[in-house]
Amino acid sequence: QVQLVQSGAEVKKPGASVMVSCKTSGNSFSNYYVHWVRQAPGQGLEWMGVLFPSGIETNFAQDFQGRVTLTRDTSTSTVYMEISSLRSEDTAVYYCATEVPNTGWFDPWGQGTLVTVSS
Amino acid sequence: QSALTQPASVSGSPGQSITISCTGTSSDVGGYNSVSWYQQHPSKAPKVMIYDVSKRPSGVSNRFSGSKSGNTASLTISGLQAEDEADYYCCSYGGSSNYVFGTGTKVTIL
């Protein structure tokens, strides 16, 4: 059973960058799509983007294009999500989740990482 | 893409059935049989309950069922139980490796 473990909470100032990690125990990320979803306080889920099994190809929702980077370290079975130019509206819990290729559903999910952007 | 539209809240008594709707467009819900539903309890990660419109992952109760007609998908929970009280989100493939979530529905057990 694949499990995803994310890095701990972060507090950042506006304009800074943050990197959140998502580590798998079990099958390699090379066999999965890795999606990122965020949830602002008291709000709904928002799909951000996906890293393809190649570890190179990505796709992002329009709101995140150019500001979010997804990378993978195969040696540590870890995927990284970096957001630049943080603003207060980026305060949210960020989740990673895997998708077996071309199945269209996300399972399992990481436990979530709270990123707080505050001056 | 805009978020799929769900009712903000739905409630029911134990043992009753409720249905949550999820309305999109022909570019997402209506265009693909790739609609999934997620249950989220407070401060927990979402859990998939339905995929491919109407399929249940292993371990999910058969009290949960899904369907779709045109641009609207639906999740039905029958025999409501206390542990079903949670937020529910639909999610649809939107083409070109894009996905979109619904606005979310809070289910309350009366």
Side-chain angles (χ1 to χ4, degrees), chain A residues 5 40 45 96:
Chain A
V5 179
L45 302 175
C96 62

Side-chain angles (χ1 to χ4, degrees), chain A residues 64-78:
Chain A
F64 300 99
Q65 288 177 3
R67 207 162 64 92
V68 177
T69 304
L70 301 179
T71 56
R72 187 177 78 193
D73 183 340
T74 304
S75 67
T76 60
S77 298
T78 304

Side-chain angles (χ1 to χ4, degrees), chain B residues 47-70:
Chain B
K47 172 189 174 185
V48 63
M49 307 302 284
I50 293 288
Y51 68 96
D52 288 356
V53 175
S54 60
K55 298 177 182 177
R56 274 188 314 276
S58 174
V60 172
S61 170
N62 59 9
R63 298 185 299 103
F64 291 84
S65 62
S67 63
K68 190 185 85 167
S69 178

Side-chain angles (χ1 to χ4, degrees), chain A residues 3 9 14 19 23 31 33 37 43 46-48 51 57-58 64 74 78 80 82 85 92 99-100 106 108 112:
Chain A
Q3 287 189 311
M19 180 174 281
K23 183 177 175 63
N31 302 320
Y33 291 95
V37 176
Q43 302 301 308
E46 181 179 22
W47 183 80
M48 299 175 63
L51 178 67
E57 190 176 1
T58 56
F64 300 99
T74 304
T78 304
Y80 298 92
E82 182 177 28
S85 304
E99 175 203 352
V100 173
F106 311 149

Side-chain angles (χ1 to χ4, degrees), chain B residues 62-87:
Chain B
N62 59 9
R63 298 185 299 103
F64 291 84
S65 62
S67 63
K68 190 185 85 167
S69 178
N71 296 336
T72 298
S74 298
L75 173 71
T76 298
I77 310 174
S78 58
L80 274 175
Q81 299 180 2
E83 61 261 34
D84 299 333
E85 185 161 292
D87 294 326

Side-chain angles (χ1 to χ4, degrees), chain A residues 33 35 37 39 43-47 50 52 59-62 65 95 99 102-107 109-112, chain B residues 1 34-36 38 40 43-48 50-52 57 87 89 91 95-103:
Chain A
Y33 291 95
H35 295 263
V37 176
Q39 186 170 36
Q43 302 301 308
L45 302 175
E46 181 179 22
W47 183 80
V50 59
F52 285 52
N59 189 62
F60 297 99
Q62 193 165 5
Q65 288 177 3
Y95 293 100
E99 175 203 352
N102 302 318
T103 58
W105 50 291
F106 311 149
D107 180 69
W109 294 59
Q111 83 277 19
Chain B
Q1 281 176 306
S34 187
V35 176
S36 50
Y38 298 86
Q40 187 182 34
S43 300
K44 297 293 186 183
K47 172 189 174 185
V48 63
I50 293 288
Y51 68 96
D52 288 356
D87 294 326
Y89 295 89
C91 181
S96 301
S97 300
N98 286 287
Y99 287 83
V100 58
F101 280 94
T103 50

